[in-house]
Amino acid sequence: MTNMQHMMKQVKKMQEQMLKAQEQLGTKTIEGTAGGGVVTVQVNGHKQILSINIKPEVVDPEDIEMLQDLVMTAVNDALAKAEELANEDMSKYTGGLKIPGLF
């Protein structure tokens, strides 16, 4: 087998491993929080929101802006953690290379 054939075989194997890792990200759940846990957001590794939980004591009809800020903060926290998880999982296969459009 030539070096080129061997290299192509390795690239194909890496692609398969990366596809499997991307699929597995969808099964992982990450939680973001705000306000000491009064708002929690769960997302999967594909950055899809699975649930939003708001404790009743934080709901104040006179201060909707605070609740909006807490939800936004929790969502951003969860998405940042999902991004970090994706980068960690994929770097196992890319050796730390940043491949545009991959994740």
Side-chain angles (χ1 to χ4, degrees):
M1 186 181 310
T2 67
N3 282 342
M4 183 60 110
Q5 288 173 322
H6 180 68
M7 185 173 76
M8 293 304 291
K9 195 175 203 177
Q10 290 298 102
V11 167
K12 184 176 179 177
K13 181 179 178 183
M14 184 178 81
Q15 287 175 327
E16 290 170 356
Q17 290 173 330
M18 289 171 58
L19 283 173
K20 186 176 181 180
Q22 284 178 326
E23 288 174 14
Q24 289 175 343
L25 280 172
T27 66
K28 295 182 179 181
T29 302
I30 302 99
E31 185 172 275
T33 63
V38 293
V39 175
T40 59
V41 175
Q42 288 189 336
V43 299
N44 64 20
H46 290 158
K47 302 175 194 163
Q48 297 168 323
I49 295 174
L50 302 174
S51 69
I52 297 175
N53 185 9
I54 301 170
K55 292 192 176 177
E57 63 265 21
V58 76
V59 179
D60 179 357
E62 302 294 318
D63 194 3
I64 297 299
E65 286 181 14
M66 180 189 68
L67 180 56
Q68 291 169 335
D69 288 344
L70 288 169
V71 171
M72 184 175 57
T73 299
V75 167
N76 286 332
D77 183 42
L79 293 176
K81 289 175 181 176
E83 179 74 20
E84 185 179 319
L85 175 67
N87 287 334
E88 287 174 9
D89 281 3
M90 296 315 245
S91 69
K92 295 173 191 172
Y93 304 105
T94 63
L97 293 175
K98 299 287 184 191
I99 302 172
L102 184 58
F103 45 87

